[in-house]
């Protein structure tokens, strides 16, 4: 497949998200401006201006009308997708890291980093139908008992009953979304050994995939937090994604440039690796990025996927017909 | 002391035994008075004759003299008994020291000392320690011949069982992190099977002995040699603290250990301590100490191994290079051959033939060209120079022996012009096994090409040279087959290469660009590349001793560390990812026991053997694929279970979800693959033979 290169960001990419219909792709980067692209040909639609810091994460509502973004400028902002106007800004006292709309888009979960004396926290905010009624009140605030450790991703569980979080302490936790009580936690032998960098839910919210700097990605049951599969990669994992169509899992990562002492003469050799979801074996890879891959997303129709890297490029790939008949 | 004597002794000293509390007796440390301890598993070869009087010496042969009526003269540790009847000294005295070491030292110094007085005859002191006398007095009058223990063959101590592996696998040792592991290379099952693994087995590195019988491990107090069928027990220990480097002689008879100490005062030379041990007994045969200057030649630092062993497996001679001398030692007496070193002015490099007792040496140019450089071949033990050649305008040279000792190639760097600005390179090749040892000169097509790497084909008549400019030099192959000249086979232009690795059986080689990890598998018989593979950051490339497989190691590059095993055709068989691989080394094999005729016979009848092995291979492949299928089936079923469970829950929650969404949920798309038979057609195709 020939990839479409989209250069719109000047700084490394942090997150990619498709909308539910699969025609829009949202990209977040460290350059403060989340961008909207057409998902089929990679043409840029527009940008959302307003943030003053790196944008870490975003989510789009089911009807593709609202976009929420979390940024290092200590705010999470609500945008009108079509016009690009900023509808509301949630203010926090530390950088906002992860955002996720609940089923029905009436609630959103936002995590904030530990900052100075503040600990990391999980906030649940109500999202009003009418942007005029929007207020900044929190429905629920969970202070992370670990305190000093950053939470990298927090997402809603099935039916908005739970919140799943993972971060620097390598432990995944399930919290009750109403009371804030800790329901489950992964234990040390089974869980990741280093920072959990990424998390991707399945289409039906039954299982999810996590990627970690310990060079593995793991597949978990969302309700019971049981480890189902483990995929080993040779490099630290920064981003993970699951195909909604076939039983494939994509893992992207790479050694950070600052940590490598010798230059890789083979430029363009950071690859997104495809694994068979059930057999846990590598089936192939897509090379091309000049730097570690930080973001991966599958189009909901499963016929294309995109990757964003440290090099600031977004690469959009439409699969060839032989992708769909891959057999190990 | 026997218990019976205790009573008598006690009586003599006037001690009432019933009053003595035996439990309160504390023996001086290290002494056990001849009693064996119950709690330690101490096995003593000789009976311990230590008394508590180790610090007392007896000085005998003193002149007898008159003394006043005193029983015993005691003065500051000196006590001289006097015979009360005759009022004469008995001729000996006891001197007590503070420690046993002092007593022994005094004994050494004074034993045999001439004590003479004016006018009297010489008196020679005889000094013994108290222990000596006790021991001599208590010695058994009868001599009992030692008992012979029956020989029990111990299978675990069979050092060569690894060679009898049914599947003819090779072993290798890997050090990664704190672990050291010896494994079989099982390429049928596409994995490595561990033989023995130990954490912190060695302090710094491990090394196989040249015939593969032992694994040498380094430890703080010294070196150990391990072997055996499965458990690699340490067999013999060699005492040499803080050893840095180790070398084993080609016949595995001797072990050379090296330790150097950087001096406290920066201007002093580094002190070097080398010991040579007999491998089987652990006995120290000879030690060499000195400053680092004595072990190297001016201008060059100490290169290991310092002692080079002569060719063949007899381990008869070893040689060392010193300023203006070559010292050749023989192992029968561990002293210099003919009791003298060979004086060779300004000798800079020596190199033994791998199979014969021929030593090649190189003397560089002197006096600005007045005395030319010289390469000479010396036959030992006769020390006769069998061949020598003068070389003119030479700036440097390096010697390479072919593995069978058939040829010696000397790479010569010459000054292109009088002004010594440009360097040209060429080779002088000695046909050592032919009469009169003819020398052929080989010049590269482009004389100005820098020679980067040179390698002889093991057991063969060809060699490969990398010459030219990095990063894309040329690789040329030459053959010595036609007598009288060196013929070129081929030159491969502009190859990305900086290292050559011949297979130990010859014929195949790897042209490698290390660190970039490009390996080209080349067949020198057909002059064709078989495969080019990519193995980024491969730092080590090693053929196994049979020449069937190649191992590459990616060491500590953080990405994809571990070792990879390839077939000799360049196909990746399997890889094992391991963090922090420090060392990888194949276990060497001893040379084949078959004679040359037998080997030829096997080669001719190879077809028959091949059939049998192919069948075995097929069986294993079948088994493997069946196992794989089974595994996949199980995984597939397990996954189905999960999916069904989730589907059920999803259905149950449907209503709740609809409420949350506030709308009818659309059916999610569902894709199905349908196989449709379009056409079936039979066609007979004739085979053309």
């Amino acid at each position: 497949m020939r990839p479409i290169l989209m250069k719109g960001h000047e700084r490394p990419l942090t997150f990619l998200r498709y909308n539910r219909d699969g025609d829009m792709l949202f990209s977040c980067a460290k350059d403060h401006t989340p961008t909207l692209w057409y998902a089929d040909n990679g043409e840029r639609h527009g940008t959302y201006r307003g943030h003053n810091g790196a944008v870490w994460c975003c989510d789009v509502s089911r009807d593709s009308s609202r976009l929420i973004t979390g940024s290092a400028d200590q705010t999470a902002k609500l945008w009108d997708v079509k016009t690009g106007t900023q509808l509301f800004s949630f203010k926090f006292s530390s950088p906002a890291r992860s955002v996720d709309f609940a089923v029905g888009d009436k609630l959103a979960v936002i995590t904030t980093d530990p900052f100075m004396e503040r600990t990391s926290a999980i906030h649940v905010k109500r999202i009003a139908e009418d942007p005029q009624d929007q207020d900044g009140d929190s429905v629920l605030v969970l202070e992370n008992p670990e305190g000093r450790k950053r939470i990298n991703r927090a997402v809603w569980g099935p039916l908005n009953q739970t919140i799943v979080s993972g971060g620097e302490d390598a432990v995944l936790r399930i919290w009750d979304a109403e009371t804030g009580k800790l329901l489950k936690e992964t234990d040390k032998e089974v869980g990741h050994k280093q920072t959990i960098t990424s998390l991707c839910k399945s289409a039906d919210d039954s299982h999810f995939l996590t990627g970690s700097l310990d060079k593995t990605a793991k597949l978990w049951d969302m309700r019971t937090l049981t480890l189902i599969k483990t995929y080993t990669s040779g490099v630290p994992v920064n981003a993970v994604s699951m195909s909604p169509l076939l039983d494939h899992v994509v893992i992207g990562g790479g050694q950070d440039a600052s940590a490598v002492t010798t230059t890789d003469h083979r430029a363009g050799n950071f690859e997104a690796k495809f694994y068979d979801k059930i057999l846990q074996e590598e089936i192939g890879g897509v090379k091309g990025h000049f730097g570690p891959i930080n973001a991966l997303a599958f189009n909901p129709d499963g016929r294309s996927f995109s990757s964003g890297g440290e090099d600031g490029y977004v690469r959009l790939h439409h699969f060839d017909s032989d992708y769909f008949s891959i057999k190990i | 002391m026997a218990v019976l004597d205790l009573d008598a002794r006690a009586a003599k000293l006037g001690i009432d035994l019933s009053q003595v509390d035996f439990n309160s007796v504390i023996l001086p440390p290290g002494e056990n008075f001849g009693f064996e301890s119950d709690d330690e598993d101490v096995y003593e070869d000789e009976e311990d004759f230590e008394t508590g009087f180790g610090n007392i010496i007896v000085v005998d042969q003193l002149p007898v003299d008159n003394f006043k009526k005193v029983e015993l003269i005691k003065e500051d540790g000196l006590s001289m008994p006097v015979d009360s009847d005759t009022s004469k000294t008995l001729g000996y005295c006891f001197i007590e020291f503070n420690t046993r070491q002092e007593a022994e030292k005094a004994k050494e110094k004074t034993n045999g000392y001439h004590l003479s007085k004016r006018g009297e005859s010489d008196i020679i002191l005889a000094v013994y320690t108290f222990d000596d006398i006790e021991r001599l007095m208590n010695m058994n009058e009868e001599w009992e011949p030692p008992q012979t223990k029956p020989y029990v063959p111990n299978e675990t101590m069979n050092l060569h069982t690894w060679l009898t592996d049914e599947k003819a696998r090779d072993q290798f040792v890997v050090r990664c992190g704190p672990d050291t592991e010896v494994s079989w290379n099982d390429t049928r099952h596409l994995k490595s099977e561990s033989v023995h693994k130990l954490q912190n087995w060695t302090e710094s590195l491990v090394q196989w002995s040249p015939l593969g019988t032992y694994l040498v491990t380094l430890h703080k107090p010294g070196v150990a040699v391990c072997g055996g069928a499965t458990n690699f027990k340490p067999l013999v220990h060699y005492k040499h603290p803080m050893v840095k480097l180790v070398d084993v002689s080609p016949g595995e008879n001797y072990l050379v250990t090296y330790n150097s100490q950087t001096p406290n005062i920066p201007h002093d030379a580094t002190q070097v301590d080398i010991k040579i041990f007999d491998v089987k007994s652990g006995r120290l045969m000879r030690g060499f100490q000195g400053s680092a200057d004595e072990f190297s030649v001016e201008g060059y630092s100490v290169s290991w191994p310092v002692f080079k062993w002569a060719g063949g497996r007899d381990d008869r001679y070893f040689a060392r290079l010193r300023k203006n001398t070559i010292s050749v030692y023989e192992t029968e007496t561990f002293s210099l051959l003919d009791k003298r070193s060979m004086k060779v002015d300004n000798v800079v490099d020596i190199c033994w033939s791998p199979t014969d007792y021929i030593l090649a040496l190189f003397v560089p140019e002197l006096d600005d060209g007045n005395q030319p450089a010289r390469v000479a071949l010396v036959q030992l033990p006769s020390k006769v120079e069998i061949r020598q050649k003068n070389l003119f305008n030479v700036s440097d040279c390096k010697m390479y022996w072919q593995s069978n000792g058939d040829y010696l190639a000397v790479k010569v760097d010459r000054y292109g012009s009088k002004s010594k600005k440009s360097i040209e390179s060429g080779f002088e090749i000695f046909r050592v096994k032919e009469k009169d040892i003819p020398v052929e000169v080989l010049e590269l097509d482009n004389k100005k090409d820098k020679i980067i790497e040179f390698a002889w084909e093991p057991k063969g008549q060809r060699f490969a040279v990398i010459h030219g400019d990095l990063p894309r030099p040329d690789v040329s192959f030459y053959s010595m087959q036609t007598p009288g000249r060196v013929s070129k086979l081929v030159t491969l232009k502009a190859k990305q290469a900086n290292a050559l690795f011949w297979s130990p059986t010859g014929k195949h080689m790897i042209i490698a660009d290390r660190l970039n990890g490009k390996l080209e598998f080349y067949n020198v018989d057909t002059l064709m590349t078989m495969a080019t593979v990519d193995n980024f950051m491969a730092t080590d490339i090693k053929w196994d001793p049979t020449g069937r497989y190649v191992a590459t190691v990616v060491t500590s590059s953080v990405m994809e560390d571990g070792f990879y095993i390839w077939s000799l055709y360049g196909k990746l068989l399997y890889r094992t990812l391991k963090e922090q691989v420090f060392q990888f080394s194949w276990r060497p094999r001893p040379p084949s026991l078959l004679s040359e005729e037998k080997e030829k016979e096997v080669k001719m009848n190879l077809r028959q053997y091949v059939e049998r092995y192919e069948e075995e291979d097929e069986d294993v492949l079948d088994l493997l694929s069946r196992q794989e299928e089974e595994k996949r089936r199980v995984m597939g079923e397990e996954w189905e279970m999960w999916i069904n469970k989730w589907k059920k829950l999803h259905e149950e929650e449907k209503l709740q979800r609809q409420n949350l969404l506030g709308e009818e949920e659309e059916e999610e798309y569902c894709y199905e693959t349908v196989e449709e038979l379009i056409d079936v057609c039979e066609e007979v195709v004739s085979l053309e033979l």
Side-chain angles (χ1 to χ4, degrees):
Chain A
M1 64 199 111
R2 289 229 16 242
I4 301 170
L5 265 78
M6 291 129 76
K7 175 104 177 106
H9 289 286
E10 281 127 39
R11 299 280 312 283
L13 270 281
T14 53
F15 201 76
L16 287 169
R17 178 91 82 169
Y18 280 91
N19 69 341
R20 187 168 170 271
D21 301 322
D23 56 347
M24 294 188 208
L25 174 64
F26 296 87
S27 63
C28 308
K30 291 184 182 172
D31 66 351
H32 316 182
T33 40
T35 308
L36 169 59
W37 313 80
Y38 282 113
D40 55 354
N41 61 0
E43 210 180 290
R44 194 169 64 170
H45 202 308
T47 56
Y48 300 87
R49 293 188 182 277
H51 273 302
N52 274 326
V55 182
W56 294 113
C57 192
C58 68
D59 196 7
V60 58
S61 62
R62 195 177 158 97
D63 56 2
S64 303
S65 62
R66 301 259 184 285
L67 174 75
I68 185 170
T69 54
S71 161
D73 66 358
Q74 304 185 353
T75 66
K77 292 189 194 291
L78 261 182
W79 311 80
D80 180 313
V81 169
K82 208 153 56 160
T83 61
T85 40
Q86 189 187 308
L87 298 171
F88 192 81
S89 180
F90 297 96
K91 290 193 191 13
F92 301 96
S93 33
S94 55
R97 177 75 48 169
S98 164
V99 293
D100 194 41
F101 274 122
V103 179
D105 304 324
K106 294 206 173 47
L107 297 164
V109 65
I110 302 164
T111 61
T112 49
D113 291 347
F115 187 64
M116 299 222 273
E117 70 285 344
R118 289 211 149 284
T119 59
S120 55
I122 301 175
H123 307 255
V124 176
K125 302 273 187 199
R126 202 186 318 278
I127 308 289
E129 281 269 356
D130 186 351
Q132 308 285 16
D133 302 331
Q134 184 69 50
D135 60 35
D137 290 342
S138 296
V139 170
L140 177 69
V141 179
L142 290 169
E143 301 277 335
N144 190 325
E146 246 57 33
R148 292 279 115 216
K149 296 286 177 176
R150 196 171 80 195
I151 302 173
N152 279 329
R153 287 283 283 142
V155 295
W156 289 95
L159 297 179
N160 302 339
Q161 287 166 346
T162 53
I163 295 172
V164 181
S165 71
E168 279 188 341
D169 62 1
V171 175
L172 285 167
R173 293 187 174 82
I174 299 188
W175 311 84
D176 182 308
E178 308 239 328
T179 62
K181 208 168 68 123
L182 175 64
L183 297 174
K184 274 196 192 31
E185 204 172 80
T186 55
D187 68 304
K188 283 215 182 315
E189 292 93 59
V190 163
H192 282 294
K193 306 281 177 291
Q194 281 181 37
T195 303
I196 296 172
T197 51
S198 46
L199 198 155
C200 173
K201 285 191 281 184
S202 70
D204 60 351
D205 280 0
S206 58
H207 54 285
F208 65 98
L209 182 66
T210 55
S212 159
L213 292 182
D214 67 359
K215 305 188 187 179
T216 64
K218 289 180 194 278
L219 190 71
W220 311 81
D221 175 308
M222 195 166 248
R223 294 178 178 90
T224 61
L225 211 54
T226 3
L227 175 64
I228 304 175
K229 300 278 177 193
T230 305
Y231 311 92
T232 31
S233 142
V235 295
V237 178
N238 290 336
V240 291
S241 190
M242 282 193 276
S243 167
L245 189 61
L246 301 175
D247 285 326
H248 292 163
V249 150
V250 197
I251 295 175
Q255 193 63 22
D256 200 25
S258 55
V260 179
T261 47
T262 49
T263 36
D264 189 336
H265 287 288
R266 320 165 296 168
N269 262 323
F270 289 88
E271 62 174 335
K273 293 195 187 171
F274 279 72
Y275 290 75
D276 184 295
K277 197 166 173 183
I278 307 174
L279 301 175
Q280 296 171 155
E281 279 169 34
E282 203 178 312
I283 49 181
V286 177
K287 288 196 176 155
H289 273 287
F290 297 97
I293 294 174
N294 289 336
L296 283 170
F298 251 100
N299 190 309
D301 69 2
R303 301 190 160 275
S304 60
F305 84 103
S306 53
S307 58
E310 191 80 12
D311 49 15
Y313 280 91
V314 179
R315 296 170 79 91
L316 178 62
H317 307 84
H318 286 278
F319 292 116
D320 296 332
S321 50
D322 25 345
Y323 166 76
F324 299 100
S325 46
I326 288 180
K327 278 205 195 313
I328 297 191
Chain B
M1 300 171 201
V3 184
L4 307 158
D5 285 339
L6 196 62
D7 291 296
R9 186 79 185 224
K12 206 159 76 173
L13 292 168
I15 297 169
D16 183 4
L17 275 180
S18 56
Q19 298 282 351
V20 177
D21 178 10
F22 287 99
N23 288 331
S24 69
V25 173
I26 302 167
L27 299 178
E31 315 268 81
N32 63 357
F33 289 83
F35 292 102
E36 273 185 67
S37 165
D38 292 313
D39 29 67
E40 293 153 355
D41 207 11
V42 175
Y43 178 70
E44 290 165 335
D45 275 328
E46 316 149 289
E47 289 171 53
D48 202 342
F49 285 105
E50 281 183 21
T51 59
F53 304 105
N55 54 339
I56 298 178
I57 59 171
V58 180
V59 185
D60 200 4
Q61 307 291 336
L62 290 172
V64 175
D65 208 354
N66 279 318
F67 245 91
K68 295 180 256 187
K69 272 202 171 103
V70 199
E71 262 284 302
L72 189 71
I73 301 171
K74 219 171 184 201
E75 195 187 302
D76 266 337
L78 170 83
S79 47
M80 193 175 315
V82 178
D83 190 343
S84 46
D85 297 330
T86 60
S87 298
K88 286 197 178 164
T89 60
L90 292 171
Y92 56 87
C93 75
F94 299 99
I95 305 181
E96 188 173 331
F97 289 85
N98 280 327
T99 64
R100 195 156 122 239
Q101 281 80 8
E102 284 175 29
E104 303 232 336
K105 227 180 183 170
K107 162 192 154 185
E108 273 170 43
K109 288 243 155 90
T110 53
N111 193 13
Y113 183 71
H114 286 241
L115 182 78
S116 63
K117 264 167 90 170
R118 222 174 349 106
E120 290 190 20
S121 54
D122 259 357
I123 294 154
I124 302 171
L125 294 179
V127 186
Y128 317 98
T129 61
F130 205 83
D131 290 343
D132 287 340
I133 297 187
E134 282 274 338
R135 180 162 54 93
L136 290 166
M137 276 175 47
N138 291 340
M139 258 178 104
N140 205 341
E141 289 299 324
E142 304 281 334
W143 175 73
E144 285 168 27
Q147 289 177 319
T148 47
K149 286 185 246 171
Y151 175 66
V152 177
N154 191 349
E155 258 316 301
T156 53
M157 288 315 292
N158 185 343
L159 299 169
H160 295 279
T161 42
W162 105 89
L163 291 168
T164 57
D165 179 52
E166 283 178 347
K167 304 181 211 164
R169 299 176 294 180
D170 283 292
Q171 285 188 349
F172 55 83
V173 69
V174 181
R175 269 194 325 122
C176 56
D179 296 330
T180 310
E181 186 177 355
V182 178
S183 321
W184 290 108
N185 174 27
D186 196 333
T187 44
R188 273 205 203 133
H189 291 268
L190 294 181
K191 64 179 175 68
S192 61
E193 193 186 301
S194 178
V195 175
H196 189 62
K197 181 171 169 162
L198 204 55
Q199 234 186 38
N200 291 325
W201 195 348
T202 177
E203 287 277 323
S204 56
L205 49 84
V206 291
Q207 206 171 308
W208 291 109
S209 59
L211 299 175
T213 319
Y214 310 104
L215 182 66
V216 183
T217 55
L218 269 62
H219 308 272
K220 271 213 182 67
V223 175
V225 136
C226 304
T230 44
N231 50 4
F232 282 92
K233 263 179 50 189
L235 298 165
V236 191
H237 290 93
Y238 310 93
K239 250 206 178 131
H240 190 174
M242 307 299 280
V243 164
K244 293 201 182 127
L245 297 168
V246 157
D247 187 33
V248 187
S249 69
E252 295 187 343
N253 290 320
Y254 303 104
L255 179 81
V256 187
T257 55
Y258 167 91
N259 175 20
S260 73
Q261 268 173 324
T262 40
N264 291 327
I265 311 163
H267 289 293
D268 271 358
T270 316
Q271 289 292 49
V272 161
D273 185 12
I274 298 180
K275 292 201 199 316
I276 306 188
F277 298 89
D278 176 79
V279 168
K280 295 202 180 75
S281 66
R283 193 157 67 103
L284 172 64
M285 305 302 289
R286 175 131 184 204
F288 293 87
Q289 276 101 14
S291 77
D293 296 335
E294 293 174 37
F295 291 89
S296 58
V297 179
E298 210 173 287
Y300 296 76
S301 60
V302 178
S303 75
W304 185 255
V306 164
F307 290 104
K308 306 197 189 205
W309 291 90
R313 312 226 173 271
D314 300 339
D315 296 344
R316 263 187 37 194
Y317 305 107
F318 57 96
R320 155 168 102 131
L321 193 57
R322 272 214 298 237
K323 196 165 155 77
N324 295 339
T325 40
I326 300 175
S327 308
V328 183
Y329 301 83
E330 53 165 5
T331 50
E332 294 210 17
T333 57
F334 268 90
S335 58
L336 284 167
L337 182 64
D338 296 339
K339 303 280 185 242
R340 352 183 275 278
S341 299
M342 285 164 58
K343 191 153 163 42
V344 182
D345 278 328
N346 295 309
V347 62
V348 149
D349 195 13
I350 55 168
C351 204
W352 284 103
S353 155
T355 46
D356 301 302
Y357 298 134
I358 299 177
L359 186 65
L361 55 92
F362 168 65
V363 176
E365 200 171 84
L366 284 171
D367 289 336
D368 230 11
N370 285 341
Q371 192 172 340
R374 195 160 74 89
V375 172
L377 291 173
V378 178
Q379 173 81 50
L380 278 132
S382 59
K383 293 192 185 167
V384 164
E385 220 174 62
I386 49 177
R387 190 69 167 90
Q388 76 126 18
K389 180 145 191 215
N390 284 332
L391 306 161
F392 298 89
N393 282 341
V394 167
S395 71
D396 194 20
C397 98
K398 206 156 176 245
M399 300 186 276
Y400 304 92
W401 277 97
Q402 188 252 14
S403 70
N404 287 351
D406 292 337
Y407 310 107
L408 170 68
V410 180
K411 175 187 86 132
V412 179
D413 290 327
R414 288 205 161 85
Y415 296 114
S417 52
K418 280 269 164 153
S419 59
K420 298 194 177 183
K421 274 209 186 126
S422 62
I423 304 243
E424 287 173 359
S425 302
F427 290 97
E428 311 273 327
I429 305 187
F430 293 70
R431 289 183 188 261
V432 179
K433 295 258 168 85
E434 288 181 31
K435 194 161 104 83
D436 291 336
I437 309 184
V439 182
E440 274 145 40
V441 179
L442 170 71
E443 267 173 10
L444 298 167
D445 290 337
N446 181 356
K447 279 194 268 191
K448 292 221 169 41
D449 268 353
K450 193 167 87 124
I451 295 177
I452 297 161
E453 188 72 40
F454 175 94
W456 279 108
E457 177 185 14
K459 301 189 190 160
Q461 295 163 319
R462 295 175 284 205
F463 61 89
V465 187
I466 304 182
H467 55 98
D469 291 309
L470 290 168
R472 289 198 170 252
D474 299 334
V475 181
S476 298
F477 291 88
Y478 295 86
S479 167
M480 302 292 293
Q481 209 163 7
T482 29
R485 64 186 191 96
V486 181
S487 40
K488 182 158 91 161
L489 298 169
V490 74
T491 297
L492 306 168
K493 292 245 162 240
K495 284 271 164 202
Q496 203 176 349
N498 54 27
L500 298 167
F501 297 94
W502 280 98
S503 156
T505 50
K507 205 168 117 169
H508 296 274
M509 76 123 62
I510 294 180
I511 302 171
D513 179 357
R514 287 160 98 163
L515 269 153
N516 273 335
K518 272 213 161 12
L519 306 172
E520 191 175 322
F521 287 74
Y522 193 78
N523 183 329
V524 189
D525 274 352
T526 59
L527 296 179
M528 271 179 24
T529 307
M530 294 184 288
T532 313
V533 293
D534 216 349
N535 196 353
F536 187 60
M537 295 282 289
T539 47
D540 273 335
I541 299 165
K542 295 199 163 117
W543 283 91
D544 81 324
T546 58
R548 291 178 293 174
Y549 309 108
V550 184
T552 56
V553 183
V554 177
T555 337
S556 300
S557 76
V558 192
M559 281 174 77
E560 319 231 314
D561 283 7
F563 59 88
Y564 298 66
I565 306 282
W566 313 78
S567 77
L568 67 94
Y569 296 110
K571 182 166 144 207
L572 176 64
L573 297 170
Y574 68 92
R575 66 173 186 176
T576 309
L577 291 174
K578 273 200 197 284
E579 301 273 307
Q580 292 191 316
V581 177
F582 293 128
Q583 194 184 357
F584 180 100
S585 141
W586 289 102
R587 185 169 196 169
R589 278 180 182 265
S592 163
L593 295 169
L594 294 175
S595 66
E596 270 213 42
E597 296 86 41
K598 260 282 179 178
E599 275 195 18
K600 281 210 174 78
E601 207 187 296
V602 170
K603 275 196 187 145
M604 292 213 297
N605 296 334
L606 201 59
R607 266 252 158 95
Q608 301 167 2
Y609 300 111
V610 161
E611 270 174 30
R612 173 163 60 112
Y613 291 120
E614 275 189 1
E615 247 185 69
E616 278 180 31
D617 279 342
E618 292 238 355
D619 285 341
V620 172
L621 276 173
D622 269 343
L623 179 67
L624 281 178
S625 67
R626 265 182 285 128
Q627 280 179 347
E628 190 66 27
E629 270 177 48
E630 184 62 28
K631 195 171 75 158
R632 289 191 185 180
R633 200 179 54 81
V634 167
M635 279 181 147
E637 277 174 10
E638 198 185 69
W639 186 250
E640 279 298 308
M641 255 175 39
W642 281 107
I643 294 281
N644 289 334
K645 192 162 70 156
W646 288 329
K647 249 199 200 137
K648 226 176 53 164
L649 285 168
H650 198 77
E651 281 301 311
E652 287 169 13
E653 293 169 354
K654 194 172 164 129
L655 194 59
Q656 291 173 298
R657 247 201 328 278
Q658 283 191 348
N659 286 338
L660 284 172
L661 292 169
E663 61 183 18
E664 273 283 325
E665 198 180 46
E666 298 166 17
E667 271 303 320
E668 303 290 335
Y669 328 114
C670 174
Y671 282 85
E672 247 181 63
T673 43
V674 177
E675 260 183 41
E676 209 181 279
L677 193 62
I678 299 173
D679 190 15
V680 178
C681 159
E682 252 185 53
E683 201 179 301
V684 178
V685 178
S686 64
L687 281 171
E688 271 175 16
L689 286 162

